[in-house]
Amino acid sequence: VRPTRDGIHGREFISTAVDIGEKPALLAFDERGEPVGTVPKVITIQVPFLFDRPPRSARPRLLLEILARAAQEIESLTMVPVELVVRFNLAGPHVVPVVAEETWHWLGWLAWSPRMIALEGWDRERFAELERRFPESILCARAPMESDVLELVRQGARVLHLTADYHGRRNGRFVMDLIRQAHQRLVDAGLREQVTLIGSGGIVMAEHVPKAIICGLDAVALDTAL
């Protein structure tokens, strides 16, 4: 439920929106006042969660269509393996194709340009190819929770989806500790505000969402709870 309060100017609504994308620390302009260099490129979801791709054992067409419809109605996003996006004709600004090495060739069958594309596993060359093929799309790098986030950012990633297992653990470590570690490393490097952190794994109760955000995430991705 979105919190509200009655202020001196009437009822005030507290925003739960999240900006996902590239947010440079500074803007530069030329002598004509035109922006040069990196400019902000974000999409806004109205709630601090999105739908992750379902487990491999639970991907019937009906479920994916329900997730896509739900994401559309609440102005959020749903991640779907790219081959299922094509097979089931799922399209729209709320659908995020997830592409991996073994499903790379399915990109050629996309008949539309997604607002966001997720790359499974970090590969700088494939990331650069996605930038060339989909210049208007926001690119998300999915990587294990314990990944070196500073190195990923230095190589060009600006939206990171850090993943753990459905127990909320990764290599024996608890997901909340790993989230705080990733967040703090970016803070110490002065890069936190330029990066969007999404996390998934072990998010199964309502209170897990704000707890994960307090620990450092911008948004969470729901999978097992569904």
Side-chain angles (χ1 to χ4, degrees):
V1 178
R2 292 177 186 233
T4 62
R5 74 170 197 160
D6 291 317
I8 61 173
H9 301 295
R11 176 141 300 184
E12 299 174 357
F13 292 85
I14 300 172
S15 175
T16 56
V18 176
D19 291 329
I20 298 176
E22 186 166 0
K23 297 165 278 190
L26 300 171
L27 296 178
F29 300 87
D30 60 20
E31 61 276 5
R32 296 173 298 174
E34 298 295 327
V36 295
T38 304
V39 296
K41 184 169 71 172
V42 301
I43 56 178
T44 301
I45 59 176
Q46 293 302 314
V47 287
F49 61 84
L50 50 98
F51 302 124
D52 202 357
R53 61 182 191 185
R56 189 175 298 275
S57 59
R59 297 182 184 175
R61 179 170 188 161
L62 179 58
L63 174 59
L64 295 175
E65 289 176 345
I66 289 171
L67 292 177
R69 175 75 176 274
Q72 183 180 31
E73 291 193 1
I74 66 174
E75 297 183 48
S76 186
L77 302 168
T78 185
M79 293 190 173
V80 183
V82 64
E83 68 274 19
L84 300 184
V85 170
V86 174
R87 286 177 180 172
F88 300 153
N89 193 30
L90 299 173
H94 52 285
V95 175
V96 180
V98 180
V99 58
E101 180 180 357
E102 64 273 15
T103 59
W104 190 260
H105 62 282
W106 284 95
L107 283 173
W109 293 90
L110 280 180
W112 54 290
S113 181
R115 283 202 302 171
M116 184 164 123
I117 300 174
L119 175 63
E120 185 69 63
W122 178 251
D123 186 311
R124 185 67 190 92
E125 293 183 1
R126 292 191 185 278
F127 191 82
E129 183 176 344
L130 285 175
E131 289 180 316
R132 290 192 297 270
R133 293 176 65 174
F134 301 93
E136 300 302 318
S137 300
I138 290 172
L139 303 184
C140 169
R142 292 171 60 100
M145 189 72 72
E146 74 278 13
S147 298
D148 186 345
V149 291
L150 282 182
E151 183 59 29
L152 294 178
V153 172
R154 290 187 182 113
Q155 293 190 43
R158 290 296 180 270
V159 180
L160 302 177
H161 181 173
L162 305 177
T163 62
D165 65 24
Y166 68 94
H167 295 295
R169 307 196 75 82
R170 186 78 193 184
N171 287 340
R173 298 187 62 188
F174 185 46
V175 64
M176 293 301 184
D177 296 330
L178 292 169
I179 291 171
R180 286 188 294 182
Q181 174 182 285
H183 168 77
Q184 193 60 50
R185 293 200 69 192
L186 292 171
V187 169
D188 293 342
L191 296 170
R192 180 63 187 91
E193 296 302 321
Q194 301 180 46
V195 178
T196 303
L197 284 183
I198 301 169
S200 64
I203 307 293
V204 295
M205 300 179 69
E207 60 263 32
H208 292 167
V209 175
K211 285 179 179 179
I213 292 172
I214 289 170
C215 286
L217 294 183
D218 292 296
V220 302
L222 305 178
D223 49 10
T224 308
L226 301 174

